[in-house]
Amino acid sequence: MRKLFLISCLLVATTPVHAQAVDVSGAKALTELLSNYLGKKAIEKNIVSVVPDGDSYRITFSTAKLIETLPKQDYFKGDFGEYSLLIKPVADGSWNVSSTAIPGGSVEVTTPEGREAVQWSVDNANINGTFDPKIGAFSNASFSYGAVKMNTTSPTQDVEASVNSAKGEVLGMAAPSGGVNFSSNHSATNFLETVTVKSPPSGDVATAAQPMKIVLSGGQIGANAEGKGLRNLEFLELWKFFIAHVDETTLKDQEQADLKAKFLAALPFWDKLSGAYQFSDLNVETPIGPFAAKTMSQQIDFDGISKSGGYHYALRTNGLRYPALPIPAWSVPFLPTDVEFVFGTEGLDLDTVVRAAVADMDLNRAKPFSGEFEANTAAAFMAKPPKMVINRSFVRTTDTELSVEGEVSFTALKPESHTIWEMSNFDAVVSRLTTASEQEPEIKNYIVFAKLAKDFGTLLPNGHIQWIVDQKSDGSVSVNGNPVKGPDPVVDPATDGAGVTAPDDDTTTMPDDPTQDDNVIVPDDEEDNSDPAPPAPQ
């Protein structure tokens, strides 16, 4: 996937004008165009070269030549191999692209702690696709490789990783709103990673700990991405500007105006952008035993720069399994088997901030952005902060599922929330706690609060217990419409945050004492601890 992105950057400069003949003059013209995006030094030092090859052009990127241009130093050594691809002009102005090798390589770094090194190899690689310069993207492409292996070594840990039989594809088309719509997927089988954690170097061999080994394996790894309205051509124009002015320490007024115009033309960067990866049949061997998950995935969804953008994240796992853990037997059924966390922010106005930043920016100042801009941005955020949202998230155990969804907003940075909590098989949980309390009496305290929570809840037709929790910006809290906490005390600024002072009357209790708050139910601990816990309702 990364190589397809690099190929796109190389080919975006090509135009239908140069797609009609394959000869030395065509190669020279392509080289000149590429220099606008890679810099003239990349051409002069043969870091990138273009030559005719039959009915195609061969573009070669030499990492060795690149390293030769770097200042002499002893910190870093690298061998990344040579990347090469063939591009064949098509009558409609597009290019057929192919490559049959992704070179292996190595990197070595010398740090104060010692030597760190990485080596990798890729077998049987194959890339084929059609690149459309009009949209600056692949209209279609596919890739595959037999295996990837990577080894890393360092003073503190070693890692060996490999995957087999990888494949993927990319599709792209012009977006009605501008930019390009694209989708991509990538999958690989038989993931294996061995991590060996070493003990820190010490002079005493007898006390040195044995290395700890952790082995991760999975049946399949998958990754996918999707974009709507990605302004890739506008991004390349920005990159072209940076390359043209990379050696300049200041910009003329007209150059700054051109930069600002190009930046604004790239907005909103994209309309929608999402990406995800998934593991299946994940196993983790550790010194205390094996952990496992049937599936594990992460996902992000980002809006572009807009007046009311949304940005979301999700983590999902199911089929969790555990080794024998050093925990009480009664608590094992409470370990999660499935987990989903889905949250994000909505109503975020980045468009106003970005446009104001571009207008204020002056790259010839010591600070590109003025203090007035920074103060105005902070004030605007305080006046209209984004809203945090919790999409339905849950933790599932052997007996029950606890879910939550809702939102949190802020008024003068004080939170105000509305969340809905729901739990299934509540009585089964109480029953387990009751049985466990026969061996561990202190569990009776948990049972008291569990029953108190049930009293505050609402029984739904499906048998679940529901709690609708509302927190106001003044600090007050209610559950299912019943107040459980009053507003926070109002602090007189003259007291310098000393809080609420009780009157001289010794019988007066501070309002923060929950035992004196009519809205808070406090069980009698002594009475509940003296009697056996009652059986759970059936």
Side-chain angles (χ1 to χ4, degrees):
M1 293 295 295
R2 292 188 182 96
K3 188 172 183 184
L4 285 176
F5 173 75
L6 293 173
I7 293 172
S8 296
C9 294
L10 287 171
L11 296 182
V12 74
T14 61
T15 64
V17 175
H18 302 97
Q20 302 303 317
V22 176
D23 52 29
V24 174
S25 62
K28 183 178 179 180
L30 282 176
T31 301
E32 288 296 322
L33 284 171
L34 288 174
S35 70
N36 293 328
Y37 296 89
L38 303 175
K40 293 189 180 299
K41 182 181 292 187
I43 306 301
E44 294 169 356
K45 299 294 184 181
N46 289 323
I47 297 171
V48 176
S49 61
V50 182
V51 297
D53 189 335
D55 60 354
S56 304
Y57 292 105
R58 181 174 294 277
I59 301 178
T60 302
F61 175 68
S62 172
T63 59
K65 295 291 186 182
L66 174 62
I67 292 174
E68 287 177 2
T69 65
L70 301 177
K72 297 294 184 182
Q73 43 79 37
D74 298 324
Y75 173 74
F76 168 86
K77 296 179 182 178
D79 177 13
F80 301 93
E82 198 169 75
Y83 293 81
S84 180
L85 63 141
L86 290 174
I87 61 170
K88 179 181 178 180
V90 182
D92 64 1
S94 62
W95 298 85
N96 288 338
V97 182
S98 63
S99 179
T100 57
I102 300 178
S106 64
V107 175
E108 183 176 322
V109 178
T110 302
T111 71
E113 291 74 27
R115 173 181 174 272
E116 298 182 4
V118 182
Q119 301 87 32
W120 66 91
S121 64
V122 182
D123 297 334
N124 302 322
N126 186 53
I127 297 174
N128 287 282
T130 301
F131 185 86
D132 186 351
K134 295 189 294 295
I135 62 173
F138 280 93
S139 57
N140 64 80
S142 62
F143 61 93
S144 62
Y145 48 84
V148 174
K149 296 180 181 179
M150 184 182 72
N151 295 330
T152 67
T153 59
S154 73
T156 56
Q157 70 175 28
D158 295 339
V159 179
E160 297 181 8
S162 64
V163 294
N164 294 327
S165 303
K167 62 181 180 179
E169 66 175 357
V170 175
L171 300 175
M173 64 182 67
S177 61
V180 61
N181 293 343
F182 75 90
S183 63
S184 69
N185 63 74
H186 183 193
S187 63
T189 60
N190 299 326
F191 166 75
L192 179 64
E193 180 174 351
T194 301
V195 181
T196 303
V197 181
K198 309 171 187 177
S199 60
S202 65
D204 189 351
V205 178
T207 59
Q210 292 295 317
M212 180 178 66
K213 183 175 290 188
I214 301 173
V215 180
L216 298 87
S217 61
Q220 182 168 305
I221 301 176
N224 57 72
E226 184 175 1
K228 301 291 186 184
L230 177 67
R231 304 312 198 265
N232 54 329
L233 290 176
E234 289 79 0
F235 282 139
L236 264 297
E237 282 300 302
L238 273 172
W239 180 251
K240 180 180 176 181
F241 181 93
F242 293 140
I243 292 297
H245 298 85
V246 67
D247 295 325
E248 299 178 13
T249 56
T250 60
L251 292 178
K252 300 175 182 178
D253 290 345
Q254 184 56 52
E255 291 171 337
Q256 289 216 64
D258 291 345
L259 174 60
K260 292 183 178 184
K262 291 179 184 297
F263 198 96
L264 292 175
L267 294 177
F269 298 161
W270 57 80
D271 298 331
K272 297 283 185 181
L273 194 64
S274 63
Y277 76 83
Q278 312 86 28
F279 287 92
S280 64
D281 298 322
L282 180 65
N283 292 280
V284 183
E285 296 285 345
T286 73
I288 64 173
F291 293 80
K294 187 64 177 175
T295 63
M296 179 178 291
S297 67
Q298 292 191 69
Q299 180 177 342
I300 57 172
D301 295 278
F302 289 166
D303 287 344
I305 303 299
S306 70
K307 291 285 188 181
S308 183
Y311 306 87
H312 298 270
Y313 171 82
L315 171 65
R316 298 180 175 93
T317 66
N318 70 72
L320 291 171
R321 300 190 304 275
Y322 307 86
L325 298 174
I327 59 177
W330 65 267
S331 65
V332 172
F334 291 94
L335 292 173
T337 58
D338 306 284
V339 177
E340 286 196 13
F341 295 133
V342 187
F343 59 90
T345 181
E346 293 182 353
L348 186 59
D349 181 3
L350 292 180
D351 183 78
T352 300
V353 174
V354 170
R355 291 182 184 277
V358 172
D360 180 80
M361 180 179 67
D362 184 348
L363 297 180
N364 294 329
R365 289 191 303 224
K367 290 182 62 177
F369 301 103
S370 67
E372 181 182 5
F373 163 75
E374 294 175 351
N376 290 341
T377 300
F381 181 85
M382 291 281 289
K384 188 181 178 182
K387 177 174 63 178
M388 306 300 293
V389 294
I390 306 170
N391 302 102
R392 188 178 185 276
S393 302
F394 65 82
V395 176
R396 186 178 295 142
T397 68
T398 301
D399 293 325
T400 188
E401 176 184 289
L402 176 64
S403 66
V404 61
E405 57 185 310
E407 60 185 43
V408 182
S409 57
F410 298 86
T411 302
L413 293 186
K414 292 185 178 181
E416 183 165 324
S417 64
H418 174 80
T419 54
I420 301 174
W421 300 76
E422 192 172 314
M423 188 172 182
S424 64
N425 295 328
F426 190 94
D427 291 340
V429 174
V430 175
S431 178
R432 279 195 183 276
L433 291 174
T434 301
T435 301
S437 70
E438 297 174 2
Q439 283 74 41
E440 299 188 39
E442 64 273 14
I443 298 176
K444 294 177 181 178
N445 294 326
Y446 305 153
I447 297 173
V448 171
F449 285 100
K451 291 181 176 180
L452 178 61
K454 183 178 181 180
D455 289 340
F456 275 109
T458 298
L459 182 64
L460 301 178
N462 61 3
H464 295 185
I465 305 294
Q466 184 186 78
W467 302 268
I468 300 177
V469 181
D470 290 289
Q471 177 185 1
K472 301 300 182 183
S473 58
D474 62 5
S476 61
V477 179
S478 65
V479 178
N480 289 338
N482 300 308
V484 297
K485 178 184 177 298
D488 293 333
V490 178
V491 179
D492 185 350
T495 65
D496 194 27
V500 179
T501 304
D504 293 337
D505 185 355
D506 292 339
T507 63
T508 302
T509 305
M510 296 292 287
D512 283 344
D513 183 353
T515 62
Q516 302 300 316
D517 191 335
D518 292 337
N519 293 329
V520 178
I521 302 175
V522 179
D524 188 334
D525 290 341
E526 181 177 355
E527 178 180 344
D528 281 329
N529 286 334
S530 61
D531 297 328
Q538 301 299 315

